[in-house]
Amino acid sequence: MTQYTFLSATILLVLITDPIGNIPIFANALRPVAPERRARVILREILIAFALLLTFMFVGEGFLRVMNLSELALQIGGGVILFLIALRMVFPPASSAEEQQLAEPLIVPLAVPAIAGPSALATVLLLVSQQPERRLEWIGALCVTMAISAVVLVSAERIQRVIGTRLVTAVERLMGLVLVSVAVEMLLRGIKTFVVQLMKG
């Protein structure tokens, strides 16, 4: 079982929520919104995503019991989702930058799935299910992650002007490569645990 610290959990959540990679998505979705209102919309969407992830932290164990899911299944499933998300970061679909948003976004697509996507939900479930006694640390890590997302996304237009779209894309792909490694490590640990259980059983 992977043992996370406050720092490693925070880094993992930041990589998964991917605020740098979300800059083009937010910029495109907020195009029809008045410039003076954009910061308010971004903060609202981040708060919605935070509330959803926080809810999963508290109902996660009950959810696993109701669905009859083991921590091992969650770890392997989370690793698969992380791997797929990471591949999209490294090799983004050609059409993603051309999606049009005609009205002010609400919940979809910014809060969900841009911030609180399947991989983020699976990760908070995994953290709490593996070490429920450290729930306050995971809440703290989530708070730091949301604060970083808020700062990056509210400053998105400025960041794009300063460093340029190419560098934003390069940083996102670098984060994707790191996340691929995290996903593979999670999968390998899950598979190793599964093999050990098979040998014992």
Side-chain angles (χ1 to χ4, degrees):
M1 183 173 67
T2 306
Q3 296 292 316
Y4 291 99
T5 63
F6 173 81
L7 180 60
S8 64
T10 303
I11 292 171
L12 180 60
L13 286 170
V14 169
L15 286 171
I16 290 167
T17 53
D18 189 21
I20 297 292
N22 279 335
I23 287 177
I25 298 171
F26 271 68
N28 186 60
L30 294 172
R31 219 172 269 154
V33 179
E36 63 274 9
R37 183 167 165 73
R38 287 174 187 170
R40 196 178 305 171
V41 172
I42 290 169
L43 292 175
R44 182 192 68 201
E45 297 300 301
I46 288 173
L47 284 173
I48 292 170
F50 175 70
L52 180 59
L53 291 167
L54 197 60
T55 300
F56 261 67
M57 277 196 174
F58 282 95
V59 304
E61 292 172 276
F63 177 79
L64 289 178
R65 283 197 299 271
V66 169
M67 298 300 293
N68 197 27
L69 295 172
S70 66
E71 292 177 16
L72 180 58
L74 183 63
Q75 180 169 345
I76 294 174
V80 171
I81 292 174
L82 278 187
F83 186 75
L84 294 175
I85 295 293
L87 284 182
R88 285 177 63 88
M89 289 168 67
V90 179
F91 306 107
S95 61
S96 63
E98 299 178 8
E99 292 174 359
Q100 296 298 317
Q101 183 79 26
L102 301 177
E104 179 179 305
L106 176 63
I107 302 179
V108 178
L110 301 185
V112 181
I115 301 172
S119 53
L121 294 171
T123 301
V124 295
L125 273 174
L126 185 65
L127 288 171
V128 175
S129 66
Q130 287 189 346
Q131 295 172 286
E133 71 282 357
R134 299 177 64 187
R135 196 188 306 267
L136 285 178
E137 283 188 59
W138 310 145
I139 292 172
L142 184 59
C143 288
V144 172
T145 300
M146 293 296 106
I148 292 171
S149 292
V151 170
V152 171
L153 293 170
V154 168
S155 310
E157 291 181 24
R158 200 171 308 150
I159 291 171
Q160 276 192 310
R161 282 199 304 269
V162 171
I163 68 175
T165 305
R166 286 188 179 181
L167 190 54
V168 168
T169 303
V171 171
E172 182 189 10
R173 290 183 181 178
L174 179 61
M175 291 173 70
L177 286 172
V178 175
L179 200 55
V180 165
S181 302
V182 173
V184 170
E185 179 67 22
M186 190 180 291
L187 280 169
L188 289 175
R189 286 178 182 272
I191 292 168
K192 180 181 177 182
T193 304
F194 179 66
V195 171
V196 169
Q197 287 181 0
L198 278 181
M199 291 175 69
K200 286 181 178 178

